[in-house]
């Protein structure tokens, strides 16, 4: 099997990390791959570490037709068995193919208008797949492709690295600094909690200065720590007592699966992803969106109720093993690739036969 990936995403982000992690895992599984991407550091490291054939493009809208032609030339030359386009921009830059299937990947409830060249679609949750099926009226061509929460150790992170005392309890947020992530809600919750609880916010984004100003105005500069974008998510989870996802909008949230893998109790708001996968009181605690007092209560329980903490960790392990381990996710992805390749060939043969018969008439 030979897969050509097209990634046109940002320098960093959850979906981009998912693409990188998936391609690494496929390489470890022996899948031949080619990558067309932007020359961002994470992608540079990926192609170097895995020794992948690659091509760099800007994916700039003003160059769209020129770069679509370049992509098409690469596809024609490399002859992959399947083209995997990651997210909106990549799908919109992917030319329609006649010799192999194109897969469009959805990390959210994206508009199908960007996926005109795609023969199949894949969503990271069952609900996103239902959205795709309703929009395309082709449910048999929409696949569930869960992302995995398995993380590789990258080194050792200590609380002292961030000026946190060993006696302090740590609430960890792994997120972009954006309004839809509910970061402001979490900072308001921090102001209502014990001084021994420290909030470690790992991520970057357009609203980060706003949130720093909010923390300063609430006199929380010693208890709300902005770590910036961090690649060692497992290291950060290793010093966390609770992982929190206070999002207003979140199609899934890979941190859910990562917290389960790392055996860290999870608290999340009832955004789409958590609502469909987290079982309240079993593998996480769920809070209404924008409910600051509810978030405070849930964090306090997850930090201090030892039997509950043990129950959440146990339940998280079970859900992780069932749906989100790297081995199971990659095995399912490879099976889906094979199924798409076979179905495309079968449909093409049937279509060719139909045209021949029409010609005879």
């Amino acid at each position: 099997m030979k897969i050509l990936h097209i990634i046109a995403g940002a320098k960093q982000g959850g979906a981009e990390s998912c693409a990188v992690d998936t391609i690494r895992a496929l390489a470890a599984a022996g899948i031949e791959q080619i990558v067309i991407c932007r020359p961002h550091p994470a992608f540079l490291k990926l192609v170097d570490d895995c020794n992948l054939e690659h091509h760099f493009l800007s994916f700039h809208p003003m160059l769209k037709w020129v770069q679509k032609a370049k992509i098409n030339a690469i596809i024609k030359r490399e002859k992959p068995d399947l083209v995997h386009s990651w997210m909106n921009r990549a799908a919109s830059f992917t030319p329609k193919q006649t010799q192999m299937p194109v897969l469009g990947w959805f990390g959210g409830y994206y508009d199908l208008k960007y996926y005109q060249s795609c023969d199949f679609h894949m969503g990271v949750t069952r609900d996103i797949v239902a959205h795709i099926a309703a929009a395309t009226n082709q449910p048999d061509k929409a696949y569930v492709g869960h992302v995995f929460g398995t993380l590789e150790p990258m080194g050792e992170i200590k609380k002292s690295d961030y000026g946190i005392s060993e006696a302090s309890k740590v609430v960890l947020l792994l997120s972009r600094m954006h309004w839809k992530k509910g970061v402001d809600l979490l900072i308001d919750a921090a102001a209502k909690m014990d001084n021994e609880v420290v909030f470690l916010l790992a991520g970057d984004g357009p609203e980060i200065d706003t949130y720093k100003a909010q923390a300063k105005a609430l006199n929380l500069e010693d208890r709300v720590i902005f770590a910036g974008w961090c690649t060692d998510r497992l290291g950060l989870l290793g010093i966390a007592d609770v992982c929190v996802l206070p999002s207003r909008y979140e199609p899934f949230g890979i941190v859910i699966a990562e917290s389960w893998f790392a055996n860290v109790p999870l608290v999340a708001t009832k955004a789409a992803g958590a609502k469909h996968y987290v079982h309240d009181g079993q593998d996480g605690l769920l809070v209404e969106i924008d409910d600051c007092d509810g978030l405070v209560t849930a964090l306090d329980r997850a930090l201090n109720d030892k039997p509950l903490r043990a129950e959440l960790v146990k339940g998280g392990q079970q859900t992780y093993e069932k749906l989100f381990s790297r081995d199971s996710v990659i095995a399912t992805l490879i099976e889906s690739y094979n199924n798409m390749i076979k179905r495309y060939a079968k449909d093409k043969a049937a279509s060719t036969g139909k045209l021949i018969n029409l010609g005879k008439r």
Side-chain angles (χ1 to χ4, degrees), residues 155-166 170 200 232 235-236 238-240:
E156 182 184 3
I157 289 180
K158 297 174 289 186
K159 290 182 180 180
S160 59
D161 294 337
Y162 295 97
I164 303 171
S165 73
E166 288 300 319
V170 176
L200 182 58
D232 189 358
L236 291 173
I239 62 172

Side-chain angles (χ1 to χ4, degrees), residues 74-94:
I74 293 169
I75 293 172
K76 300 302 182 188
R77 182 172 66 251
E78 297 295 342
K79 296 181 175 61
D81 296 299
L82 179 143
V83 177
H84 186 154
S85 297
W86 293 82
M87 298 174 287
N88 289 351
R89 188 183 294 266
S92 72
F93 271 75
T94 303

Side-chain angles (χ1 to χ4, degrees), residues 93-341:
F93 271 75
T94 303
K96 181 71 176 175
Q97 298 300 307
T98 59
Q99 300 302 313
M100 75 285 294
V102 175
L103 166 64
W105 186 88
F106 288 64
Y109 300 86
Y110 304 154
D111 193 325
L112 270 290
K113 70 181 182 181
Y114 299 106
Y115 293 81
Q116 298 301 311
S117 66
C118 297
D119 305 286
F120 300 97
H121 305 91
M122 178 173 283
V124 298
T125 70
R126 293 183 288 260
D127 196 57
I128 292 172
V129 170
H131 157 78
I132 297 168
T136 62
N137 200 30
Q138 292 183 307
D140 59 320
K141 292 189 175 182
Y143 292 70
V144 177
H146 289 130
V147 294
F148 60 81
T150 311
L151 295 169
E152 293 293 338
M154 298 178 66
E156 182 184 3
I157 289 180
K158 297 174 289 186
K159 290 182 180 180
S160 59
D161 294 337
Y162 295 97
I164 303 171
S165 73
E166 288 300 319
S168 297
K169 296 179 179 180
V170 176
V171 173
L172 174 66
L173 173 71
L174 295 167
S175 171
R176 288 185 69 240
M177 298 293 113
H178 191 284
W179 178 87
K180 69 181 181 180
K181 298 294 186 178
V183 184
D184 57 319
L185 179 73
L186 183 62
I187 295 173
D188 283 340
K192 298 184 176 185
M193 297 194 67
D194 292 342
N195 290 335
E196 67 179 22
V197 182
V198 173
F199 291 75
L200 182 58
L201 280 51
D204 202 349
E207 308 283 344
I208 190 166
D209 289 336
T210 299
Y211 299 138
K212 287 181 178 180
Q214 179 187 359
K216 183 177 181 180
L218 292 171
N219 296 314
L220 293 172
E221 291 173 289
D222 292 335
R223 292 182 48 229
V224 175
I225 299 169
F226 293 87
W229 181 262
C230 302
T231 56
D232 189 358
R233 307 194 294 277
L234 182 58
L236 291 173
L237 284 161
I239 62 172
D241 295 282
V242 169
C243 185
V244 64
L245 192 67
S247 304
R248 295 183 172 98
Y249 173 81
E250 193 73 64
F252 177 59
I254 182 60
V255 68
I256 294 172
E258 292 173 343
S259 69
W260 286 334
F261 168 74
N263 295 327
V264 179
L266 172 72
V267 173
T269 50
K270 294 180 182 179
K275 184 170 65 177
H276 286 99
Y277 283 92
V278 178
H279 305 87
D280 187 36
Q282 299 178 35
D283 50 25
L285 296 180
L286 290 176
V287 179
E288 297 295 336
I289 293 171
D290 274 326
D291 181 359
C292 185
D293 289 339
L295 182 60
V296 169
T297 299
L299 288 171
D300 183 67
R301 292 177 65 205
L303 285 167
N304 299 307
D305 186 333
K306 290 184 178 180
L308 175 62
R309 286 176 57 83
E311 186 67 24
L312 297 181
V313 167
K314 180 181 177 182
Q317 287 176 331
Q318 292 172 345
T319 308
Y320 161 79
E321 290 292 347
K322 182 179 179 181
L323 296 176
F324 299 106
S325 72
R326 175 168 51 197
D327 289 347
S328 64
V329 166
I330 294 302
T332 299
L333 178 59
I334 292 172
E335 181 182 353
S336 297
Y337 282 161
N338 272 315
N339 185 268
M340 293 174 204
I341 292 165

Side-chain angles (χ1 to χ4, degrees), residues 32-98:
E32 183 180 359
Q33 300 175 98
I34 302 157
V35 178
I36 302 175
C37 61
R38 287 171 164 169
H40 293 320
F43 302 147
L44 290 170
K45 190 173 189 316
L46 168 70
V47 297
D48 184 57
D49 288 349
C50 298
N51 194 28
L52 299 176
E53 183 175 341
H54 57 277
H55 306 268
F56 294 134
L57 293 177
S58 67
F59 292 96
H60 194 285
M62 296 296 290
L63 301 173
K64 187 169 188 175
W65 297 109
V66 173
Q67 296 198 346
K68 282 186 75 169
K70 289 183 179 180
I71 291 170
N72 202 43
I74 293 169
I75 293 172
K76 300 302 182 188
R77 182 172 66 251
E78 297 295 342
K79 296 181 175 61
D81 296 299
L82 179 143
V83 177
H84 186 154
S85 297
W86 293 82
M87 298 174 287
N88 289 351
R89 188 183 294 266
S92 72
F93 271 75
T94 303
K96 181 71 176 175
Q97 298 300 307
T98 59

